[in-house]
DNA sequence: CTGAAAGCGCTTACAG
DNA sequence: CTGAAAGCGCTTACAG
């Protein structure tokens, strides 16, 4: 068996309480005692048992990280490691552990979250996605369990802590940018509207069009499911209609890459024949052909801030809900062409 | 306070022991009692406290996942989510939790692993990397703590459980493939040789050359650090020497993308002027230009198998060490050209 | 500044 | 088939 606090206490001629207090660096223990106990701990290779400590102290020192189901995960590939890196940075600095959800379906994930909360596995939870009317989120709200979202909640915005980009605004900005280049026929290849990030971006797109008295047009919008089912055909239809778009907005770089390939097969050149712009600025976007103009959404920061908010919430359960919007940067590369100079 | 096993016991008119046994679905409890207790648990919304259960049962029902430091992580971007997906699949099926390392440096990671082991945070550990003479690995070995590596250990191969691709072989195969296409001047842009995966692939490359009585040549090898410092210059030098290579082997697709961009700047066409082949088959490799010929290493399976091995090890600490090699597939796309038909 | 005692919420031989 | 008791390894009022 491993050496316990009792073994140390006996060896150091103090009580277990004292050893415990030395571990916690309690101020009311004399330096002399601390020194002695620490020496004994060292020589006996004592190491505290977290489970016991946490059970007694009613804490876990770990936070739960809940990702959307794996299908979506695969999709948002580069998002995940980067947001984890942000979360880890804060977590590690505060000596907090990370507990990861493993569920593959919405229901499994929900059950896991219940287990985390009720089973006292974590002190708080970070939701890595925001879905319309999400069971998990509602549960967390009802339980008043500390949690933060990376993304904007679909509702109760003022009652929930979250970190997000201003997705409406960046979608608007992107359209404005294209508008500035002279584009008027701008199509949007959207993400799954179940996710708030997707609906926000779509909304920004529409708002930008309307602000220029351009109408939102059905035939300029491709749903995620249509694209996933047969992306090539969707793009073909889009580009062969009466007045095809001169610019495309894709909801994610990986989608943009795919579109570019289909366009190529259709012998439509980017950016000469059609411009393309996208979101999320994957690491590879500077290396593809043509280098992709994309919005950097600062994923690392998203993870970092979400963790900070969560820690504050854990410390002060009663504080008011806080939001934070993380800055984005439009990275202009070579996938968009100006029509003005024509 | 939450409802405990004692509350349930009182309400159901049984002892706490019995409630505990009902939770564990102990065979010696009568169906009648089980039914009654379960009804009470239901109606009282009882949920077991994992910390207490684990403390008493001396288990954790969670496995630790340790990644190499963040710098490397960023590099191997798509690897991480995919291997986690594989690990999650097995873990979730066995109702095991995942505890993630958060450290940014080797030393931090080591300390975390010590905390996981000594602090009884996990029942076993999966190392997501294999490094030369790794302190963490050595510690785990010495402690005889259950662990598995995704990758081949640098030593003690027959004493450690691991899952890997046969990296020597796939590097050989890749060179053979190029050889079959008529290439004789084949360069290698390698990874960090601190990692076994990189040195294995380099070794395979050399072995393949030698099997064709071709000599390994310094000027056909670019070190990871040289490439990272100034990739463009490294490629320029490589391609402007006396007899430049006709084919390049890159240790990872993301490196291949970068190389392709530099080649383009040098006005060297792929595959017309030089062929390029790579490992890991990122999701994007079919979408880049030219679509990249790459070796699919089946990352999902790597994670899945590693977890299975770990679980077996946890069950039978004394069993013999096992290895498993996961199959790979050469995905031929359009980045290599045959010289034979010229 | 330090200790004795109770308690965190479970599990598991042992006994019947 | 079920219960009483000890124990997992800590923490933390309370008392001095």
């Amino acid at each position: 068996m491993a050496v316990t606090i009792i073994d140390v206490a006996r060896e150091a001629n103090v009580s277990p309480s004292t050893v415990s207090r030395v571990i916690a660096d309690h101020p009311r223990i004399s330096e002399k005692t601390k020194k002695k106990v620490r020496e004994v701990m060292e020589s006996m290779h004592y190491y505290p048992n977290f489970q016991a400590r946490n059970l007694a102290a009613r804490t876990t020192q770990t936070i739960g990280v809940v990702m959307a189901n794996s299908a979506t995960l695969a999709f948002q590939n580069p998002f995940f490691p980067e947001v984890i890196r942000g979360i880890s940075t804060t977590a590690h600095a505060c000596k907090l552990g990370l507990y990861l959800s493993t569920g593959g379906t919405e229901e499994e994930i929900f059950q896991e979250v219940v287990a985390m909360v009720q089973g006292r596995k974590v002190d708080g939870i970070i939701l890595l996605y925001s879905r319309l009317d999400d069971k998990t989120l509602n549960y967390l709200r009802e339980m008043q369990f500390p949690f933060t979202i990376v993304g904007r909640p679909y509702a109760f915005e003022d009652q929930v802590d979250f970190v997000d980009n201003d997705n409406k605004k960046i979608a608007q900005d992107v359209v404005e940018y294209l508008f500035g280049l002279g584009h008027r026929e701008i199509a949007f290849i959207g993400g799954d509207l179940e996710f708030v990030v997707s609906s926000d971006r779509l909304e920004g797109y529409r708002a930008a069009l309307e602000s220029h008295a351009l109408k939102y047009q059905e035939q300029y919008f491709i749903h995620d499911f249509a694209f996933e089912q047969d992306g090539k055909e969707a793009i073909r239809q889009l580009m062969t209609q009466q007045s095809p778009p001169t610019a495309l907005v894709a909801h994610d770089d990986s989608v943009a890459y795919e579109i570019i390939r289909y366009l190529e097969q259709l012998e439509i050149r980017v950016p000469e024949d059609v411009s393309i712009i996208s979101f999320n600025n994957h690491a590879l976007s500077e290396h593809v052909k043509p280098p992709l103009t994309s919005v950097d959404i600062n994923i690392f920061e998203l993870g970092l801030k979400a963790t900070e908010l969560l820690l504050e919430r854990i410390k002060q359960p009663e504080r008011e809900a806080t939001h934070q919007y993380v800055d984005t940067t439009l990275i202009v590369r070579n996938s968009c062409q100006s029509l003005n100079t024509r």
Side-chain angles (χ1 to χ4, degrees), chain A:
Chain A
M1 262 341 288
V3 16
T4 73
I5 219 172
I6 299 197
D7 304 321
V8 174
R10 196 178 301 133
E11 191 75 14
N13 276 315
V14 294
S15 73
S17 328
T18 300
V19 177
S20 173
R21 290 192 183 102
V22 171
I23 294 169
D25 202 15
H26 193 110
R28 277 204 306 242
I29 301 288
S30 74
E31 278 309 320
K32 200 176 138 204
T33 307
K34 279 186 184 169
K35 184 155 176 283
K36 183 177 62 181
V37 172
R38 279 178 186 141
E39 279 168 13
V40 174
M41 292 197 318
E42 184 92 9
S43 73
M44 297 182 78
H45 297 107
Y46 169 77
Y47 210 95
N49 179 317
F50 280 85
Q51 293 196 143
R53 176 217 281 261
N54 291 339
L55 178 60
R58 289 125 182 278
T59 161
T60 68
Q61 304 297 337
T62 108
I63 62 188
V65 176
V66 177
M67 40 190 178
N69 60 58
S70 335
T72 317
L73 195 161
F75 196 86
Q76 303 188 331
N77 240 343
F79 182 79
F80 183 63
E82 190 61 7
V83 77
I84 288 283
R85 203 167 65 81
I87 294 171
S88 290
T89 302
T90 309
H92 191 265
C94 303
K95 297 183 181 295
L96 256 36
L98 251 39
Y99 191 92
L100 213 64
S101 74
T102 62
T105 67
E106 239 184 290
E107 181 59 24
E108 282 175 0
I109 290 168
F110 173 70
Q111 292 302 343
E112 274 190 285
V113 168
V114 172
M116 288 188 201
V117 172
Q118 312 258 34
R120 309 291 132 90
K121 294 183 175 186
V122 301
D123 292 337
I125 285 180
I126 300 179
L127 249 33
L128 252 33
Y129 65 91
S130 175
R131 193 195 301 270
L132 259 50
D133 201 21
D134 186 51
K135 191 174 171 186
T136 301
L137 186 150
N138 290 333
Y139 168 78
L140 254 13
R141 255 180 24 86
E142 276 159 28
M143 295 297 284
Q144 309 222 46
F145 195 78
F147 77 103
T148 318
I149 313 176
V150 175
R152 190 177 68 82
Y154 73 102
F156 308 106
E157 208 174 302
D158 51 338
Q159 294 172 39
V160 172
D161 294 323
F162 70 89
V163 173
D164 201 2
N165 306 297
D166 192 340
N167 281 304
K168 278 180 217 164
K169 174 132 192 329
I170 63 178
Q172 264 181 288
D173 290 350
V174 152
V175 174
E176 284 301 337
Y177 170 74
L178 293 172
F179 199 88
L181 292 179
H183 295 277
R184 296 298 175 268
E185 284 76 36
I186 301 170
F188 191 85
I189 292 84
D192 186 345
L193 293 175
E194 276 293 296
F195 291 94
V196 177
V197 54
S198 302
S199 53
D200 278 357
R201 287 178 184 173
L202 176 59
E203 206 177 300
Y205 160 77
R206 297 183 66 149
L209 291 185
E210 278 156 24
S211 79
H212 288 290
L214 294 171
K215 252 185 38 200
Y216 166 81
Q217 299 183 67
E218 272 298 341
Q219 69 268 32
Y220 280 178
F221 177 65
I222 299 182
H223 274 283
D224 65 303
F225 45 81
F227 188 77
E228 257 160 48
Q229 202 184 288
D230 190 348
K232 189 172 175 184
E233 176 57 21
I235 295 298
R236 198 192 60 72
Q237 282 182 20
L238 178 71
M239 298 309 292
T240 54
Q241 59 185 291
Q242 280 282 2
S243 54
T246 61
L248 313 180
V249 181
H251 89 284
D252 181 86
D253 285 9
S254 58
V255 171
Y257 305 148
E258 206 176 329
I259 294 173
I260 290 174
R261 193 169 54 118
Y262 298 145
L263 290 171
E264 191 178 336
Q265 292 169 1
L266 296 167
E267 303 197 336
I268 298 172
R269 295 162 305 165
V270 179
E272 293 82 355
D273 301 328
V274 64
S275 291
I276 185 160
I277 191 168
S278 174
F279 300 98
N280 302 351
N281 191 33
H282 296 185
L284 300 177
S285 294
E286 61 168 318
H287 293 127
V288 295
K289 227 170 141 177
L292 199 61
T293 294
S294 182
V295 179
D296 191 316
I297 59 169
N298 215 340
I299 300 170
F300 179 81
E301 198 73 12
L302 245 18
L304 201 80
K305 292 292 182 203
T307 314
E308 287 177 7
L309 279 197
L310 180 61
L311 296 184
E312 287 168 23
R313 165 69 50 203
I314 291 171
K315 260 184 226 137
Q316 307 174 47
E318 302 304 334
R319 84 199 270 262
E320 266 188 59
T322 324
H323 326 154
Q324 229 175 84
Y325 284 98
V326 167
D327 282 346
T328 60
T329 321
L330 178 66
I331 310 289
V332 174
R333 287 190 276 247
N334 303 323
S335 61
C336 296
Q337 190 168 59
S338 172
L339 302 183
N340 301 327
T341 57
R342 270 194 191 167

